[in-house]
Amino acid sequence: MPRITMIGQIHIYIENHRGVLQFSSKEVRLLLSQGQLLIKGEQFIIKTILPEELLLEGKIDQVIYIND
Amino acid sequence: MKNLWIQFFYGYVKMSIDGPYAERFLNRCIEHEITIWHIKRITKERMICYITLEDAKKIRPLLKMTSCKVSFIERKGLPFLLKKMKKRLGFTLGITSFIVILLLLSNIVWDVKIEGASPKVEYDLRQALDELGIKRGKFIYQLPNVEQIQKLVTERVEDATWIGVTLNGTTFEFEVVEQTLPEKEKLASPRHLVAKKKAIIYDLFVEKGQPMVRPNEFVNKGDLLVSGIIGREDAPQIVPAKGKVYGEIWYKSSVSIPLSNIFETLTGERKKSHYISIFQYDIPIWGFSKHTFERFEKVENDYPIRILKWTIPIQYKNVEWLEKQEITREYNKEDALKIAKEMAKEELRKKIPNDAIIKGEKVLHESVDNGKVELNIHYQVIEDIALEQPISQGD
């Protein structure tokens, strides 16, 4: 189960992720224990990445859960 | 990014990761607990990130696994800085020697200024300073501190009442206040001389005026001694009376001193610790062991380091513990009496004028009681008892 903390549109902090599937300056796709998390926006930078935590910086427009 | 300082210390590199599946490389890194940060996507096949120098050595096998290529763009941190410094040794040496020279020169006496002194006093002071070794080119550390200099110099230069010492950067500034002798007494207004206190006249020396008393005469306080009215009775003249009238005065003083005294002395045992203090925090550099003295005196010495006219917050400091000892001193009766007499005389000296003479002393009473010696002494003192009293002209 992920725990997501957002500070405005600038920062998003995701705990309990299972890895990075895709990373570009406009889109980040993370693997979760169930399904995936898609974050859309601009100028993404991964500030820190640890086994279960990730801090993303940029302009975040959308956070989408993908269940399949 | 969390502790950039530590990363700076160990060194870190900026690298670009090229390959179609750079994300896989990221995940491998996380699995192997390799810290990377500030990851940025540049193009479809290229990412840029930072990695610590230590971890950079471990990524080779991971690259093979994920078919990514890595190139280092920038090297940052202390290890690279040191390497660079080694490469440009001349430059490094130049900077260090510059700082060292600046430090040395900032802690040397460059000038000695003397203000407010007449040529003679200035000469005396210069000579005293020479003896103390305060002159251009001396290290400030070799000299005693400002308070000590002030004390030493004030003692040595006799014509100066007070000498203020300040160390202003590399300049010693001495501010001298000279002794000014009181101006010659102006011709005073007409006056009498009267007795200051009850006394027996011992001797008198009148420069001006009409003496009204004779030696061995008893006078009360306020009695007329020398009159300012002279001349014949039908044609009196009023003058300021001047002279000295010595009277014998009796003083009584009683002292009591205990037969056994407890006082503290230093044993000579000492323990010194050295510190470097940075922003008031003392970091010990030598002498770590704790002293084992039961009674002690603590002496702290600060040695600030100056750069140009500023003092930098890093300084050398030493602390010395001096062992103290309690000593009990026992007097026998004769010694105690002798000391009591001396003390009594000392007391008396404070009360009487400087030019007074102690003519005689007589022990009225002595007793030893409760471990104390008590003494009553009677003194005969000869001092000037003349006091000026103006003659009001209205009469």
Side-chain angles (χ1 to χ4, degrees):
Chain A
M1 194 65 78
R3 175 192 162 117
I4 301 169
T5 317
M6 277 183 81
I7 300 163
Q9 276 186 286
I10 311 161
H11 275 152
I12 184 162
Y13 183 65
I14 302 135
E15 288 164 88
N16 293 324
H17 70 87
R18 291 282 177 271
V20 185
L21 293 175
Q22 196 208 337
F23 169 61
S24 74
S25 59
K26 292 197 169 158
E27 216 176 66
V28 177
R29 198 187 283 265
L30 298 175
L31 186 66
L32 302 176
S33 50
Q34 279 180 329
Q36 295 173 6
L37 186 72
L38 180 66
I39 305 159
K40 285 184 176 180
E42 288 162 36
Q43 296 160 3
F44 282 163
I45 291 170
I46 299 176
K47 275 283 191 184
T48 20
I49 182 162
L50 294 167
E52 300 209 311
E53 293 164 41
L54 187 145
L55 178 65
L56 188 72
E57 196 187 83
K59 186 170 175 277
I60 298 145
D61 291 331
Q62 288 178 300
V63 181
I64 303 158
Y65 279 99
I66 300 164
N67 304 305
D68 52 330
Chain B
M1 286 299 262
K2 272 175 215 156
N3 356 340
L4 213 84
W5 267 105
I6 292 174
Q7 276 150 6
F8 172 81
F9 218 75
Y10 289 113
Y12 59 97
V13 284
K14 189 180 184 181
M15 67 177 184
S16 76
I17 309 158
D18 298 286
Y21 304 110
E23 287 89 351
R24 275 163 66 188
F25 174 71
L26 285 188
N27 290 329
R28 290 292 98 74
C29 281
I30 303 163
E31 277 167 27
H32 288 81
E33 297 199 328
I34 287 168
T35 16
I36 53 178
W37 68 93
H38 217 279
I39 308 156
K40 218 176 179 176
R41 170 73 78 175
I42 303 293
T43 64
K44 227 175 167 204
E45 303 224 320
R46 172 173 278 195
M47 284 202 287
I48 283 180
C49 70
Y50 290 92
I51 184 166
T52 60
L53 188 61
E54 216 179 326
D55 287 345
K57 292 166 191 163
K58 299 187 215 157
I59 56 170
R60 195 166 291 275
L62 307 181
L63 292 170
K64 269 183 194 165
M65 257 197 281
T66 53
S67 62
C68 283
K69 271 186 188 169
V70 152
S71 53
F72 300 120
I73 305 165
E74 267 178 62
R75 288 145 230 265
K76 290 180 177 175
L78 200 63
F80 298 112
L81 203 70
L82 287 176
K83 224 180 250 177
K84 237 188 233 171
M85 277 164 73
K86 239 184 229 169
K87 227 190 260 172
R88 302 180 191 172
L89 200 64
F91 190 64
T92 320
L93 278 179
I95 284 186
T96 5
S97 53
F98 168 72
I99 291 169
V100 168
I101 289 169
L102 188 66
L103 270 176
L104 285 181
L105 296 187
S106 297
N107 292 291
I108 278 178
V109 179
W110 280 107
D111 201 5
V112 176
K113 271 189 201 161
I114 295 175
E115 259 172 50
S118 65
K120 186 192 169 284
V121 173
E122 185 170 338
Y123 177 78
D124 284 351
L125 181 55
R126 291 245 180 235
Q127 225 162 22
L129 293 180
D130 269 359
E131 274 169 39
L132 291 172
I134 301 166
K135 48 186 154 186
R136 185 173 297 173
K138 275 274 183 170
F139 271 110
I140 290 169
Y141 300 121
Q142 294 175 315
L143 303 175
N145 67 28
V146 171
E147 285 98 51
Q148 284 169 324
I149 291 175
Q150 176 152 10
K151 212 179 135 204
L152 290 170
V153 151
T154 312
E155 271 170 20
R156 285 182 192 208
V157 182
E158 277 173 3
D159 291 337
T161 312
W162 179 85
I163 299 175
V165 184
T166 41
L167 181 59
N168 201 347
T170 55
T171 307
F172 266 107
E173 288 177 357
F174 292 88
E175 196 190 325
V176 181
V177 176
E178 274 184 47
Q179 264 171 14
T180 43
L181 295 169
E183 280 171 37
K184 279 262 185 247
E185 241 177 275
K186 276 183 219 145
L187 210 60
S189 54
R191 65 190 180 189
H192 296 304
L193 293 181
V194 298
K196 211 187 290 179
K197 38 188 124 172
K198 202 159 79 173
I200 292 170
I201 303 299
Y202 178 76
D203 196 5
L204 72 172
F205 171 70
V206 179
E207 281 179 53
K208 223 177 220 176
Q210 178 71 42
M212 304 298 280
V213 288
R214 254 180 250 268
N216 296 323
E217 207 171 301
F218 175 82
V219 288
N220 266 314
K221 185 179 174 189
D223 282 358
L224 190 61
L225 300 175
V226 180
S227 172
I229 301 167
I230 55 170
R232 279 177 313 181
E233 256 175 54
D234 51 334
Q237 243 185 312
I238 302 175
V239 294
K242 198 176 168 196
K244 282 195 156 46
V245 181
Y246 295 103
E248 187 181 310
I249 298 171
W250 294 352
Y251 286 94
K252 230 192 235 174
S253 78
S254 59
V255 283
S256 83
I257 63 163
L259 283 172
S260 71
N261 277 9
I262 298 170
F263 60 97
E264 285 182 320
T265 54
L266 301 175
T267 62
E269 286 296 313
R270 53 180 64 198
K271 160 91 185 55
K272 209 169 182 180
S273 290
H274 304 264
Y275 300 89
I276 283 183
S277 45
I278 300 168
F279 291 107
Q280 323 263 307
Y281 288 102
D282 297 342
I283 300 162
I285 48 169
W286 193 252
F288 299 100
S289 60
K290 194 99 177 70
H291 65 91
T292 51
F293 306 144
E294 219 175 286
R295 295 164 182 281
F296 58 85
E297 206 169 296
K298 193 176 170 193
V299 182
E300 288 186 24
N301 288 313
D302 288 334
Y303 296 90
I305 298 168
R306 278 169 269 263
I307 283 194
L308 301 180
K309 56 180 187 167
W310 300 283
T311 306
I312 63 173
I314 300 168
Q315 62 174 24
Y316 166 70
K317 177 180 179 179
N318 65 42
V319 179
E320 208 168 0
W321 287 275
L322 308 168
E323 192 182 26
K324 284 207 290 199
Q325 198 178 33
E326 224 175 50
I327 288 180
T328 314
R329 187 169 55 186
E330 297 272 354
Y331 290 128
N332 61 28
K333 201 186 154 197
E334 280 81 59
D335 284 346
L337 283 174
K338 221 158 109 191
I339 288 162
K341 271 186 197 171
E342 273 166 31
M343 266 172 63
K345 217 168 197 173
E346 199 70 27
E347 283 288 296
L348 181 69
R349 281 261 171 238
K350 282 182 202 159
K351 275 193 278 185
I352 61 180
N354 281 337
D355 56 350
I357 303 159
I358 298 173
K359 194 186 159 203
E361 65 176 50
K362 199 171 164 196
V363 178
L364 298 177
H365 172 77
E366 60 177 69
S367 68
V368 182
D369 207 12
N370 289 333
K372 274 185 178 174
V373 173
E374 279 181 43
L375 210 56
N376 276 323
I377 307 175
H378 174 262
Y379 289 102
Q380 290 157 278
V381 176
I382 292 170
E383 64 177 69
D384 188 7
I385 56 163
L387 186 74
E388 292 148 13
Q389 190 187 52
I391 302 169
S392 45
Q393 293 281 1
D395 299 346

